[in-house]
Amino acid sequence: MHKFANPARFMRLSKIFLPWFMGLTILLFASGLYYAFFLAPEDYQMGNTYRIIYIHVPAAYMAQFGYGIIAVASAVGFIWKHPLADQAARATAPLGAGFTALALLTGSLWGKPMWGTYWIWDARLTSMLILFFIYLGYMAVWETIEDQVKAAKIAAIVALVGIINVVIIKFSVDWWNTLHQPATLMRLDGPTIGGDMLTALLLMIGAFNMFFITTLIWRIQSLILRRRVRALRMQLGGGQG
Amino acid sequence: MLKLALSIIVRDLRLSMRHGSATTMVMGFFVMVVIMFPFAIGPEQKILARISVGVIWVAALLSCLLSLDRMFQTDYEDGSLDQFILSPVPLELVVMAKCIAHWLTTSLPLIIITPILGIMMNLPESGFLPLILTMLLGTPALSFIGGIGASVTVTLRRGGILLSLLILPLYIPVLIFGSLAVKAVIGGYPAMEHLMLLSGFSLFSAAIAPWAAAAAIRAGLE
């Protein structure tokens, strides 16, 4: 019973917080989109196409944030054998992978008007792509191992080895990229951004963040419930269900 | 303690010697992958020279990957792995020994036949020694990181594909620094920093792999 104490408390607390988080998400999205589409001025070079950064930048940020959460949750789960942390890491993975895919997609869509092609081996796009595959590998571990306790442990090891390597890979891809093509590509974090553009971007990042947290709580709830359903079935079926 | 680890290496070498087919098959695969490229791209000497380093590195990576799933598999099947866990030798040391044995039986033969492939791929003459050197420095990382992947998938039935999915992204730094160093030497630039980063990555993976792999084996066999 002791093991279930924490997930139970999580369920109770999350039910109180979830409506507030949802409201905040909607509010941030509404204001962020309004700023992004109506208040932020057109870029003098890129016209209206630049507005995709209000999706692209938050998505790319959430992709990295997601892997960070997985790594922290995995470490907590592995060291303290905290079942809730394992579930949190598992629940984060598809979200992070989704945001990574969104960042890749918007990045390549934006690349078409900017670079004249959908794909360029730009350092950021390339590391994003590798991050996507690392997410897939992590999720595959959970899918392949049937015993959930074992899967949690092994997935945690994979995630922790992964986070160290994500940093190394990011560094080496930057290195590789600067040697192959000098930095002529356009950068997002130039000094040109400011005023309403910055407000819109920050609001959108906030909105994505809240959306991420809200969905994460949902997913953890459903994973906990699924585990409970399975435990109850086992009891009913005398260990066969 | 080290004597026991050494005896594990000797045992693995002896095993691979007695059923020599695995090593020769990996070498055959390595050569075949490289040979595929002239057919796909065309036999123009200039283009081959340009892609030779990259092709040989990628082929070495794939060949290494091919042999990884057997790293702990046979020991798991015949129960030796359980004995390793029970033995007084720390499992981390066992993993280290297994990785070294894997490097000796897989990567070393590949490196030995690399010059022949270099000739076939029209590798510039100044590139031969650097290619061998980078492979000597970089392939240990393949065996060590591969050891983590092999230990994660050892108890799984469909482990092979998962292994590739997990491990290949982690091999990218080796590929980047390995081929950059050779290209730098061919182009007449200093290659020292690439070589240092490459050996740094190898040493780093040798440092983390035993812990991660041993933890994964313990979790998997529980």
Side-chain angles (χ1 to χ4, degrees):
Chain A
M1 256 355 253
H2 165 254
K3 258 195 161 179
F4 272 89
N6 270 321
R9 200 189 307 151
F10 171 81
M11 292 299 268
R12 220 175 40 241
L13 284 177
S14 64
K15 267 179 201 147
I16 303 170
F17 280 114
L18 202 55
W20 292 95
F21 284 174
M22 253 190 266
L24 199 57
T25 308
I26 294 168
L27 204 69
L28 278 169
F29 259 120
S31 55
L33 286 174
Y34 182 71
Y35 257 94
F37 280 113
F38 299 106
L39 293 184
E42 239 179 65
D43 188 87
Y44 74 100
Q45 264 181 326
M46 296 176 269
N48 270 323
T49 45
Y50 93 96
R51 287 186 206 272
I52 203 167
I53 68 163
Y54 296 126
I55 304 293
H56 177 71
V57 173
Y61 164 63
M62 294 321 297
Q64 287 160 345
F65 180 71
Y67 204 84
I69 290 190
I70 292 182
V72 172
S74 299
V76 172
F78 190 73
I79 296 167
W80 290 288
K81 311 256 183 293
H82 201 309
L84 192 60
D86 293 333
Q87 299 304 320
R90 183 182 189 181
T92 312
L95 284 175
F99 279 114
T100 315
L102 186 64
L104 278 173
L105 197 73
T106 50
S108 84
L109 281 180
W110 196 34
K112 185 67 182 169
M114 288 297 105
W115 303 321
T117 166
Y118 285 113
W119 186 263
I120 267 189
W121 290 92
D122 164 65
R124 288 168 184 227
L125 274 179
T126 313
S127 347
M128 228 6 126
L129 184 68
I130 299 166
L131 183 64
F132 184 63
F133 281 111
I134 290 179
Y135 267 119
L136 286 189
Y138 176 79
M139 280 151 64
V141 171
W142 274 105
E143 291 303 316
T144 331
I145 304 175
E146 275 159 30
D147 179 356
Q148 293 298 299
V149 181
K150 203 195 270 186
K153 266 187 198 164
I154 290 181
I157 296 167
V158 169
L160 290 175
V161 170
I163 187 84
I164 300 170
N165 272 286
V166 163
V167 179
I168 298 176
I169 290 169
K170 176 104 181 82
F171 164 75
S172 39
V173 166
D174 283 347
W175 183 286
W176 162 81
N177 197 255
T178 43
L179 283 186
H180 278 271
Q181 29 185 211
T184 51
L185 304 175
M186 94 129 257
R187 293 275 174 233
L188 293 176
D189 47 10
T192 49
I193 200 160
D196 282 343
M197 281 186 183
L198 190 64
T199 319
L201 192 58
L202 289 179
L203 279 173
M204 285 306 282
I205 289 177
F208 270 60
N209 232 322
M210 283 319 294
F211 175 73
F212 192 99
I213 293 170
T214 313
T215 352
L216 181 61
I217 292 175
W218 259 332
R219 284 192 52 82
I220 298 176
Q221 280 179 342
S222 76
L223 281 176
I224 291 174
L225 287 176
R226 203 185 296 171
R227 253 169 51 141
R228 268 188 207 164
V229 167
R230 199 159 59 176
L232 286 174
R233 267 210 197 123
M234 295 281 257
Q235 276 178 3
L236 279 178
Q240 284 161 11
Chain B
M1 210 66 104
L2 277 177
K3 218 173 167 185
L4 284 170
L6 203 66
S7 66
I8 292 174
I9 298 180
V10 173
R11 163 184 170 272
D12 272 20
L13 289 183
R14 213 173 269 155
L15 275 176
S16 96
M17 226 94 94
R18 302 247 162 99
H19 335 248
S21 55
T23 301
T24 41
M25 278 199 295
V26 170
M27 282 163 82
F29 178 78
F30 179 50
V31 175
M32 281 312 293
V33 170
V34 174
I35 287 176
M36 290 297 129
F37 279 86
F39 291 117
I41 288 165
E44 270 174 80
Q45 295 283 320
K46 253 190 193 161
I47 297 175
L48 288 185
R50 208 176 128 64
I51 61 167
S52 54
V53 179
V55 167
I56 291 173
W57 258 111
V58 171
L61 226 105
L62 293 177
S63 323
C64 189
L65 195 69
L66 196 69
S67 58
L68 274 178
D69 59 334
R70 303 304 294 167
M71 199 167 183
F72 297 111
Q73 198 77 46
T74 41
D75 286 343
Y76 172 62
E77 279 161 8
D78 68 10
S80 319
L81 205 55
D82 294 296
Q83 297 304 318
F84 285 143
I85 294 176
L86 294 174
S87 76
V89 194
L91 193 56
E92 285 78 9
L93 203 61
V94 175
V95 171
M96 191 97 175
K98 297 288 287 184
C99 290
I100 293 171
H102 177 264
W103 184 80
L104 288 172
T105 52
T106 312
S107 301
L108 201 59
L110 297 187
I111 296 173
I112 291 170
I113 54 168
T114 296
I116 302 172
L117 290 177
I119 296 169
M120 289 166 81
M121 292 298 287
N122 195 28
L123 178 70
E125 255 171 56
S126 57
F128 276 87
L129 270 180
L131 182 59
I132 305 279
L133 183 66
T134 51
M135 285 182 84
L136 280 172
L137 291 176
T139 44
L142 304 185
S143 292
F144 281 112
I145 293 183
I148 302 177
S151 65
V152 162
T153 54
V154 65
T155 53
L156 303 178
R157 260 172 284 121
R158 295 170 290 155
I161 303 162
L162 178 63
L163 182 65
S164 332
L165 190 63
L166 281 179
I167 290 306
L168 272 180
L170 309 186
Y171 278 175
I172 290 170
V174 179
L175 197 59
I176 289 178
F177 295 121
S179 52
L180 272 182
V182 183
K183 280 179 192 156
V185 173
I186 294 174
Y189 302 106
M192 204 54 200
E193 46 190 2
H194 305 308
L195 288 178
M196 285 167 113
L197 284 166
L198 185 66
S199 9
F201 188 69
S202 276
L203 288 172
F204 179 73
S205 50
I208 59 162
W211 307 101
I217 290 176
R218 283 200 196 98
L221 287 186
E222 241 167 33

